[in-house]
Amino acid sequence: MESLIERLPNVEALVERAQTITLELIQTAITQRGQFTIALAGGSTPKPLYEHLATQSLPWDKIHVFWGDERYVPPTHPDSNERMARQAWLDHVPIPPENIHRMPTESPNPADSAQAYEQHLRTFFGDAEIPSFDLILLGIGDDGHTASLFPHTAVLNVCDRWVDVGYRGIDPRITLTIPLLNQARHILFMVAGASKETALAAIFADNTNPFDYPARFIRPVGQLQWLIDQAAGQNLNLSVGP
Ligand code: 6PG
C-alpha cells in the first residue's frame, strides 16, 4: 500500500488533520469491528491531538487505549507518557478505566514489565496471531528513533516478541516491537519542527540504513501515513517516501 504523505503549513493544521483522520478511523473500526484500538505516541507533538480528542463525544466504551512506548518511570513522573495522555485527554472523558491499557513500569526489571504487557495484549487480542491495532500514533526523534526504537539498539532485531525493552542510552523504556507495529491497520506519523528536518530527510532517502534511522523499519501491513509540518518538511521531496 502506498504511503500517504501530507505537508501542513503549521503544527496547528497538522493536529487538526490528525484529529480528522483519527475520528474517521474510530468510526470505521467501530462500524466494522465493534471496537477501536489505538496505541499512543509519547513526547510533545501528539499532546494537542489528545487535548482535541478530550472535547469529542465518542462511544468511549468501545475505545481501547494502549501505548506504543513508555518511559520507565512511575505514572506520576513528569516524563511519563501515560501521565501526559491522562492529563491531556483520558482524565477528561468517560472512558471505562479498564479500557485504558497502561504499560506497567513498577517491576525492578523492565523486561518483566515488557513481558507482562505482552501477556496483557495476548489476553486482550487473543494470542493466536500477532494483533493489528486500528491506529498507532508515532513520532520521530531528531535521531530518527520512533516509539522507543533507538538507533543501533538490540530491540531493533527482536522478531519474536510483541513488547520489549528499548534503551535510550542506559535508560530503559517499554516499547512495542517492529513486528507488532508493522501489523497495524493504520500508522500515523506526526512530525513537526525544524529539528526533525535532517532525520526526516534521511528517513525519506532511499539508501538510508534503518539501523541508523529506525523509523525506516516502519512498513505496516496497513496504511502508512505521514503528517509533516512545513518546518520539518520544508526541503522534502514528497514525491518519494519511505
Ligand atoms: C517518546 C515517544 C517518542 C516520540 C519522539 C518525538 O516516548 O518520547 O514515543 O518516540 O514520539 O521522541 O517526540 P516529540 O513529539 O516530543 O518531538
Side-chain angles (χ1 to χ4, degrees):
M1 192 182 294
E2 279 296 300
S3 306
L4 299 174
I5 306 162
E6 294 175 54
R7 183 166 38 205
L8 291 306
N10 52 51
V11 68
E12 291 75 19
L14 185 155
V15 168
E16 193 171 327
R17 181 77 180 106
Q19 175 176 327
T20 301
I21 293 164
T22 302
L23 294 176
E24 287 169 356
L25 291 172
I26 289 172
Q27 183 173 3
T28 301
I30 291 174
T31 301
Q32 292 182 357
R33 292 177 292 277
Q35 68 177 16
F36 172 71
T37 56
I38 182 173
L40 303 185
S44 56
T45 306
K47 184 176 178 182
L49 168 60
Y50 303 159
E51 290 166 341
H52 274 301
L53 291 172
T55 68
Q56 300 299 302
S57 174
L58 295 170
W60 296 109
D61 62 321
K62 296 180 173 61
I63 293 173
H64 288 268
V65 176
F66 302 79
W67 275 262
D69 70 322
E70 181 57 279
R71 292 82 179 275
Y72 210 68
V73 293
T76 53
H77 190 285
D79 289 348
S80 166
N81 289 337
E82 175 187 351
R83 179 177 181 265
M84 183 273 278
R86 285 185 183 275
Q87 288 185 346
W89 173 18
L90 302 174
D91 288 351
H92 308 285
V93 295
I95 185 170
E98 63 272 19
N99 287 25
I100 300 174
H101 306 267
R102 66 182 292 266
M103 285 183 158
T105 59
E106 287 73 27
S107 166
N109 181 356
D112 292 344
S113 293
Q115 192 174 5
Y117 200 63
E118 175 159 336
Q119 187 51 54
H120 179 81
L121 296 181
R122 289 177 182 273
T123 301
F124 179 85
F125 288 104
D127 61 3
E129 55 190 18
I130 189 166
S132 292
F133 283 92
D134 293 307
L135 174 59
I136 298 180
L137 299 175
L138 291 174
I140 63 166
D142 300 356
D143 61 357
H145 81 262
T146 190
S148 284
L149 306 171
F150 290 89
H152 302 288
T153 54
V155 71
L156 300 182
N157 295 298
V158 170
C159 55
D160 57 351
R161 287 188 292 280
W162 300 357
V163 187
D164 214 321
V165 182
Y167 281 88
R168 179 182 203 135
I170 60 167
D171 294 331
R173 297 181 170 198
I174 307 299
T175 187
L176 303 188
T177 60
I178 292 167
L180 183 54
L181 292 168
N182 279 340
Q183 201 58 28
R185 290 189 178 89
H186 199 112
I187 284 193
L188 183 63
F189 274 99
M190 299 169 66
V191 184
S195 70
K196 307 294 172 70
E197 186 183 3
T198 304
L200 204 55
I203 292 161
F204 275 55
D206 283 340
N207 56 356
T208 301
N209 179 348
F211 286 91
D212 291 331
Y213 293 93
R216 271 190 74 85
F217 278 118
I218 304 304
R219 296 181 174 284
V221 297
Q223 181 64 67
L224 174 59
Q225 186 164 18
W226 292 79
L227 298 180
I228 299 162
D229 79 343
Q230 180 63 22
Q234 51 197 321
N235 298 317
L236 215 50
N237 172 4
L238 295 191
S239 62
V240 296

